[in-house]
């Protein structure tokens, strides 16, 4: 009896601090967006797509306590109490919070862009520290990788303030500055002069809290090797948007992930020279690589045997596939500044007088979708992220949703596509025991969606509430706070 009393007292003493660790005090700024917060929340009569790729399960109750999923039960009516909030989710679907694996906190501005798609140099990359985190969270993204930073201190401090409850936004894996070679087009990236330079950059930023790295198009094999070794020594992973180094070379050097599906592999580019980016930057290779052919099979086997993940970024390529794609969403236009909206339409139109592309974009699109599917079918870890760089149509959050729709176009079932955008990302991050699927004991990062994305994937756009660490945020309020801002700050 005495020990029971004591443990009860201990539990009472421990509870507040344990809860605080789960979910910190929220600032006024964050509280403005909170729709549901209670010691106990019961989501009743919801359809669950749990993130494992299995079929949807109808009519379930999900119990949220202290930021965690405390129970999943057969659907039943529950009475609300002073401590327990109950949401009736008839007609809604609950999926895990999205884990966005190519999700920037910047936008690419093209100075003096005109209707011929011409723009002036230098291309600059403004930070979207205010708008991007809100757009991500509004769309259901509860964890994201920045996948290359231009203002690394801003990203690190933003992550700290979000985790401290001061600002709204997802959990962030901050990627260091782009690991780029000397021939770069971008003024805001480091331009390495040696492998030692690469090693020092990785060490410097790892010591300041960066948790991943991304190599870029003009890095040499020796620089990439130095960067990978330095990162791995600290238990950190390296991804790459490569060109000077082929996918197979990078796999053999020990890279952990490759961005942009199979669009930027250069192994079959006719002008490819070692350590130098080719003219087509991978287009030629993708056009030549027949899905199911010997080169594709050999490449996929090499990637899988070296445990290299692939990040699908279909939204950033969709505009090139032709046919007036993607469909325009009013909410996307509403989020942008007038200038960003103008650029959006200029980039979207293809001037009739413009040069005909040397490689048929529709062929590239077809080959990439088939290769991504073959890679996943063969057991490769496929991740998803939109690459929201302002290339016409792709914005934070909205792009994450579009990526899932396009994975379904590639032949994945809706549940499999959702898994790629949730549990697979969590697995890559080594966080699959805490996030990425709906299971008892996991963090309550959940997206409440009106409709049934397991039948009609476009319903994934109808997000109403996003739970992060068990706190439910109002998607529309977050979007409203960003109206007309994206492209400015
Ligand atoms: Zn990118």
């Amino acid at each position: 009896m005495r020990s029971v009393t004591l443990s009860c007292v201990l539990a009472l003493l421990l509870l507040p601090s344990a809860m605080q660790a789960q979910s910190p005090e929220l600032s006024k700024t964050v509280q403005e967006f909170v729709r549901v917060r209670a010691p106990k929340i019961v989501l009743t009569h919801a359809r669950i797509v749990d993130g494992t790729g299995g079929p949807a399960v109808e009519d379930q109750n999900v119990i949220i306590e202290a930021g965690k999923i405390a129970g999943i039960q057969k659907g039943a009516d529950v009475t609300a109490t002073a401590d327990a909030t109950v949401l009736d989710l008839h007609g809604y679907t609950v999926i895990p919070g999205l884990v966005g694996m190519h999700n920037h906190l910047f936008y690419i501005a093209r100075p003096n862009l005109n209707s011929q798609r011409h723009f002036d140099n230098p291309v600059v990359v403004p930070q979207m520290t205010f708008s991007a985190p809100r757009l991500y969270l509004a769309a259901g993204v509860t964890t994201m990788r920045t996948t290359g930073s231009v203002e690394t201190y801003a990203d690190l401090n933003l992550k700290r303030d979000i985790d401290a409850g001061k600002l709204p936004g997802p959990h962030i894996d901050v990627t260091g500055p782009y690991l780029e070679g000397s021939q770069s087009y971008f003024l805001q990236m480091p331009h390495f002069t040696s492998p030692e330079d690469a090693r020092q950059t990785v060490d410097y930023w790892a010591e300041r809290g960066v948790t991943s790295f991304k190599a870029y198009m003009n890095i040499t094999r020796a620089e990439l090797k130095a960067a990978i070794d330095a990162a791995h020594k600290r238990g950190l992973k390296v991804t790459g948007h490569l060109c000077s180094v082929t996918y197979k070379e990078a796999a053999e050097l020990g890279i952990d992930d490759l961005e942009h599906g199979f669009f930027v592999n250069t192994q079959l580019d006719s002008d490819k020279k070692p350590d130098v980016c080719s003219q087509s930057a991978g287009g030629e290779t993708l056009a030549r690589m027949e899905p199911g052919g010997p080169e594709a099979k050999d490449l996929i086997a090499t990637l899988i045997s070296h445990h290299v993940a692939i990040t699908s970024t279909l939204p950033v390529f969709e505009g090139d596939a032709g046919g007036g794609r993607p469909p325009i969403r009013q909410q996307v236009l509403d989020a942008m500044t007038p200038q960003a909206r103008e650029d959006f339409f200029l980039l979207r139109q293809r001037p009739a007088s413009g040069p005909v592309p040397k490689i048929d974009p529709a062929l590239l699109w077809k080959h990439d979708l088939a290769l991504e599917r073959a890679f996943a079918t063969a057991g490769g870890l496929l991740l998803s992220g939109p690459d929201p760089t302002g290339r016409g149509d792709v914005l934070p959050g909205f792009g994450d949703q579009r990526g899932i729709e396009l994975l379904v176009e590639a032949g994945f079932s809706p549940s499999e596509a959702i898994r790629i955008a949730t549990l697979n990302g969590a697995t890559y991050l080594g966080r699959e025991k805490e996030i990425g699927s709906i299971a008892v004991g996991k963090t309550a990062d959940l997206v409440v969606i009106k409709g049934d994305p397991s039948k009609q994937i476009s319903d994934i756009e109808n997000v109403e509430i996003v739970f992060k660490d068990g706190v439910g945020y109002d998607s529309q309020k977050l979007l409203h706070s960003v109206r007309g801002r994206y492209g400015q700050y």
Side-chain angles (χ1 to χ4, degrees):
M1 192 65 200
R2 262 180 91 188
S3 70
V4 169
T5 311
L6 184 64
S7 67
C8 286
V9 171
L10 271 176
L12 282 173
L13 286 173
L14 287 172
L15 199 59
S17 63
M19 274 185 73
Q20 246 165 23
Q22 261 325 305
S23 157
E25 273 313 301
L26 302 179
S27 71
K28 259 195 159 160
T29 307
V30 175
Q31 279 180 33
E32 211 184 301
F33 303 108
V34 173
R35 181 149 143 196
V36 196
R37 196 183 192 197
K40 183 175 180 179
I41 300 162
V42 188
L43 312 179
T44 63
H45 301 294
R47 176 185 305 102
I48 292 181
V49 177
D50 72 359
T52 64
V57 183
E58 300 290 329
D59 195 22
Q60 299 287 296
N61 283 12
V62 180
I63 301 154
I64 301 169
E65 272 179 295
K68 302 274 185 200
I69 298 166
I72 302 167
Q73 297 160 355
K74 205 177 142 18
D77 292 341
V78 174
T79 311
T81 64
D83 277 353
T85 299
V86 177
L87 300 185
D88 180 351
L89 296 185
H90 273 108
Y92 287 81
T93 303
V94 178
I95 69 169
L98 304 181
V99 181
M101 294 302 290
H102 195 130
N103 290 33
H104 300 302
L105 293 172
F106 59 74
Y107 160 82
I108 297 181
R110 294 160 176 83
N112 299 328
L113 177 68
N114 69 21
S115 63
Q116 301 304 304
R117 308 185 109 204
H118 176 270
F119 48 90
D120 290 333
N121 284 321
V123 160
V124 287
V125 183
Q127 267 294 109
M128 293 297 118
T129 315
F130 173 84
S131 56
R134 292 173 184 224
L135 291 174
Y136 284 126
L137 190 62
V141 178
T142 50
T143 300
M144 58 165 277
R145 176 175 67 181
T146 65
T147 330
S149 56
V150 294
E151 284 195 24
T152 314
Y153 283 117
D155 291 2
L156 284 168
N157 293 332
L158 174 69
K159 174 200 167 67
R160 181 200 59 205
D161 283 1
I162 289 173
D163 288 345
K166 291 182 188 164
L167 291 172
H171 292 295
I172 300 176
D173 167 19
V174 177
T175 308
Y178 285 79
L179 307 176
E180 171 64 315
S182 59
Q183 299 306 311
S184 189
Y185 174 68
F186 284 100
L187 299 187
Q188 285 153 289
M189 295 180 184
H191 298 177
F192 293 150
T193 51
S194 67
E196 177 57 17
D197 198 358
R199 186 193 62 73
Q200 282 180 19
T201 303
V202 167
D203 283 345
Y204 179 90
W205 286 105
E207 273 159 28
R208 277 152 189 83
V210 152
T211 43
S212 61
F213 288 92
K214 176 179 175 187
Y216 206 56
M217 295 173 75
N218 297 288
I219 196 168
T220 65
R221 288 166 298 172
E223 288 159 354
L224 180 58
K225 173 90 171 88
I228 290 169
D229 289 350
H232 285 182
K233 231 177 235 172
R234 296 167 182 272
L236 304 179
K237 287 184 172 175
V238 179
T239 190
H241 168 181
L242 301 175
C243 180
S244 49
V245 181
T246 69
Y247 278 25
K248 284 186 76 171
E249 288 170 339
E252 271 143 24
L253 293 173
I255 205 162
D256 301 289
D257 184 10
L258 292 162
E259 300 303 305
H260 303 305
F262 291 84
F263 277 99
V264 297
N265 180 25
T266 51
Q267 72 186 64
L268 301 177
D269 284 13
S270 52
D271 61 340
K272 181 74 182 79
K273 295 188 188 70
D275 297 322
V276 183
C277 184
S278 56
Q279 175 84 68
S280 78
E284 228 183 295
T285 296
L286 182 55
R288 286 183 175 185
M289 194 170 278
E290 226 24 83
E295 278 125 347
K297 279 189 177 153
D298 172 64
L299 173 60
I300 287 170
T302 304
L303 296 175
I304 292 173
S305 69
H306 286 83
H307 306 285
V308 183
I310 291 278
T311 311
S312 173
T313 66
L314 293 173
V316 80
F317 298 108
E318 185 185 9
D320 288 337
R325 299 170 56 138
I328 292 178
R329 276 179 77 180
Q330 184 63 43
Q331 285 186 315
V332 173
L333 297 181
D334 290 344
M336 292 188 247
T337 62
Q339 181 63 58
R341 216 173 293 147
E342 189 182 321
D343 288 0
F344 168 99
F345 284 112
L346 289 174
L347 282 169
R348 201 178 153 85
Q349 65 175 7
R350 305 285 180 276
S353 57
V356 178
K358 283 190 202 121
I359 304 169
D360 177 14
L363 177 74
L364 298 181
W365 182 253
K366 198 176 125 206
H367 276 191
D368 180 76
L369 264 55
L371 288 168
E372 289 188 18
R373 182 112 172 83
F375 172 74
T377 306
L381 187 65
L382 189 64
L383 316 173
S384 179
D387 193 18
T389 44
R391 187 172 160 184
D393 328 273
V394 191
L395 258 63
F398 300 110
D400 293 82
Q401 296 168 349
R402 185 67 185 155
I404 297 169
E405 295 171 3
L406 294 172
L407 286 168
V408 172
E409 180 177 329
F412 294 100
S413 73
S415 291
E416 286 168 345
I418 289 167
R419 178 194 164 118
I420 292 165
T422 57
L423 187 58
N424 284 11
T427 301
Y428 178 81
L429 294 172
R431 300 197 55 211
E432 74 280 5
K433 291 204 172 72
E434 307 141 53
I435 60 167
S437 65
I438 302 178
V440 173
K442 280 196 164 182
T443 301
D445 288 354
L446 304 165
V447 190
V448 177
I449 293 166
K450 195 167 171 51
D452 185 0
S454 76
K455 292 219 168 64
Q456 178 168 308
I457 195 59
S458 58
D459 281 356
I460 200 113
E461 297 175 6
N462 305 330
V463 172
E464 290 222 356
I465 306 173
V466 181
F467 284 93
K468 190 188 81 167
D469 299 322
V471 178
Y473 295 90
D474 189 305
S475 177
Q476 290 305 315
K477 265 195 184 168
L478 283 161
L479 288 181
H480 195 80
S481 76
V482 180
R483 274 179 86 104
R485 306 288 193 276
Y486 187 75
Q488 187 181 13
Y489 47 69

